[in-house]
């Protein structure tokens, strides 16, 4: 009996290890993360572990009227934690967030990743990671957009003209488009040393539509490996750097207000619209 009892204890311990091990996954970005259900995400999230969540339903404003925030737990010991939200698009117009304001604080990397099954016969269209919501990134917070080539659609867009749809980066925050599509009709403001980086789109042509633009001194918006289009659709103030690389910039309204300060620069392969060429570095 003693021997059998010891075997039973050993089996229980092994089963516990297996169950615990099953809860740990290796994310695409190489980070060990604890797998969680979508219900794990609350309105206010204090993070003390790397988390990976399989999103099966849209995060909707009806359920998150006060928005969703991600901050580091006060007792957390690591310098940075990564929260990865994966969603598989199974039809046109798949949304990860709809009308929900999102904020990401110091020491948090939030990855929004939309995929499709390898068996689909044609790309889905009209898919958005964020539709009609503010995105605020502060401290050393990072938000990374990733979108499959078959999950076509603007990654961050505004369809509700009654809402602000503000993208605000402060301190040393970053927004990174990594194999993702662009933005549409978003008000953009950067301060501190924050940056927006487009590191290759999931399509050859990435469209970036800024409603209003305020790029602060010491901040930058750069398109590194993508070829696409910058559409400046409203008042534009640049005291930092906008570098469109091999893409072009279109100022869509002849009456648009464009101010480039002494610390500011705008560069692109081509710049169109009525604007004083003397204040722009047109490569």
């Amino acid at each position: 009996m003693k021997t059998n009892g010891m075997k039973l204890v050993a089996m229980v311990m092994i089963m516990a290890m297996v169950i615990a091990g099953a809860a740990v996954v290796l994310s695409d970005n190489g980070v060990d993360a604890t797998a969680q259900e979508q219900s794990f995400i609350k309105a206010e999230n204090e993070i003390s572990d790397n988390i990976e969540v399989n999103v099966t339903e849209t995060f909707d404003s009806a359920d998150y009227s006060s928005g969703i925030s991600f901050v580091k737990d006060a007792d957390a010991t690591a310098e940075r934690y990564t929260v990865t939200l994966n969603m598989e698009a199974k039809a046109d117009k798949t949304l990860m967030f709809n009308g929900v304001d999102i904020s990401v604080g110091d020491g948090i990397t939030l990855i929004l990743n939309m995929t499709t099954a390898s068996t689909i016969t044609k790309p889905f269209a009209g898919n958005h990671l964020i539709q009609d919501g503010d995105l605020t990134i502060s401290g050393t917070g990072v938000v990374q957009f990733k979108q499959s080539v078959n999950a076509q659609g603007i990654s961050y867009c505004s369809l509700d003209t009654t809402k602000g749809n503000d993208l605000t980066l402060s301190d040393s925050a970053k927004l990174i488009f990594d194999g993702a599509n662009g933005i549409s009709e978003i008000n953009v403001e950067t301060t501190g040393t924050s940056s927006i980086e487009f590191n290759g789109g999931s399509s050859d042509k990435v469209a970036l539509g800024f409603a209003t633009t305020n790029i602060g001194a010491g901040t930058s918006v750069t398109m590194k490996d993508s070829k696409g289009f910058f559409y400046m659709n409203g008042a534009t103030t640049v005291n930092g750097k906008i570098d469109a690389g091999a893409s072009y910039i279109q100022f869509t309204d002849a009456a648009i207000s464009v101010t480039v300060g002494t610390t500011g620069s705008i560069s692109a392969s081509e710049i169109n619209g009525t604007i004083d060429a003397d204040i722009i570095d047109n490569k």
Side-chain angles (χ1 to χ4, degrees):
M1 288 296 294
K2 186 175 181 180
T3 302
N4 289 339
M6 292 177 65
K7 288 182 178 178
L8 179 59
V9 170
M11 289 177 64
V12 170
M13 292 177 65
I14 291 171
M15 285 298 294
M17 291 171 65
V18 169
I19 292 172
V24 178
V25 296
L26 185 64
S27 301
D28 289 341
N29 57 354
V31 175
D32 286 334
T34 301
Q36 298 285 359
E37 299 295 326
Q38 184 170 346
S39 58
F40 177 85
I41 303 298
K42 311 298 183 184
E44 298 179 358
N45 301 275
E46 297 184 356
I47 305 299
S48 59
D49 192 11
N50 296 320
I51 302 297
E52 181 149 2
V53 177
N54 182 31
V55 178
T56 56
E57 300 289 339
T58 299
F59 291 101
D60 194 83
S61 58
D63 302 313
Y64 297 91
S65 58
S66 60
I68 298 178
S69 65
F70 298 90
V71 299
K72 198 161 67 168
D73 187 280
D75 297 325
T77 56
E79 183 177 348
R80 177 170 297 278
Y81 295 99
T82 298
V83 178
T84 303
L85 304 183
N86 298 314
M87 187 174 195
E88 183 180 310
K90 297 182 179 180
D92 293 344
K93 300 182 179 179
T94 298
L95 308 178
M96 185 178 289
F97 291 91
N98 182 31
V100 178
D101 295 336
I102 304 169
S103 64
V104 177
D106 193 62
I108 298 294
T109 295
L110 175 64
I111 299 176
L112 306 184
N113 180 35
M114 185 174 289
T115 63
T116 56
S118 59
T119 55
I120 68 170
T121 57
K122 68 174 184 177
F124 296 124
N127 304 286
H128 310 303
L129 296 173
I130 303 175
Q131 177 177 293
D132 295 327
D134 296 342
L135 176 58
T136 303
I137 317 171
S138 60
T140 61
V142 175
V143 174
Q144 184 176 0
F145 290 162
K146 302 178 74 173
Q147 202 161 341
S148 163
V149 66
N150 287 324
Q152 294 181 0
I154 301 297
S155 298
Y156 182 16
C157 75
S158 166
L159 298 182
D160 183 356
T161 57
T162 66
K163 201 173 184 308
N165 295 291
D166 297 329
L167 169 60
T168 307
L169 286 82
S170 60
D171 307 309
S172 58
K174 290 184 178 182
L175 174 60
I176 301 172
F177 288 71
D178 188 4
N181 295 320
I183 64 178
S184 176
E185 289 303 306
I186 304 298
N187 302 310
V188 178
E189 181 174 8
T190 60
T191 59
T193 58
S194 59
S195 62
I196 302 174
E197 303 172 6
F198 299 89
N199 298 331
S202 61
S203 63
D204 292 335
K205 297 180 180 179
V206 179
L208 310 173
F210 297 169
T212 62
T213 307
N214 189 350
I215 307 302
T219 71
S220 62
V221 179
T222 57
M223 183 174 282
K224 294 185 177 180
D225 301 318
S226 301
K227 249 187 121 169
F229 315 90
F230 276 73
Y231 291 104
M232 318 304 280
N233 296 323
T236 301
T237 301
V238 181
N239 290 303
K241 178 180 74 172
I242 295 179
D243 184 357
S247 303
Y248 74 77
I249 296 176
Q250 176 72 47
F251 291 92
T252 58
D253 190 335
I256 197 171
S257 170
V258 180
T259 303
V260 180
T262 56
T263 59
S265 67
I266 300 177
S267 60
S269 63
E270 182 180 342
I271 296 176
N272 300 313
T274 302
I275 185 169
D276 186 354
D278 292 337
I279 63 175
I280 289 189
D281 173 20
N282 186 0
K283 294 189 290 189

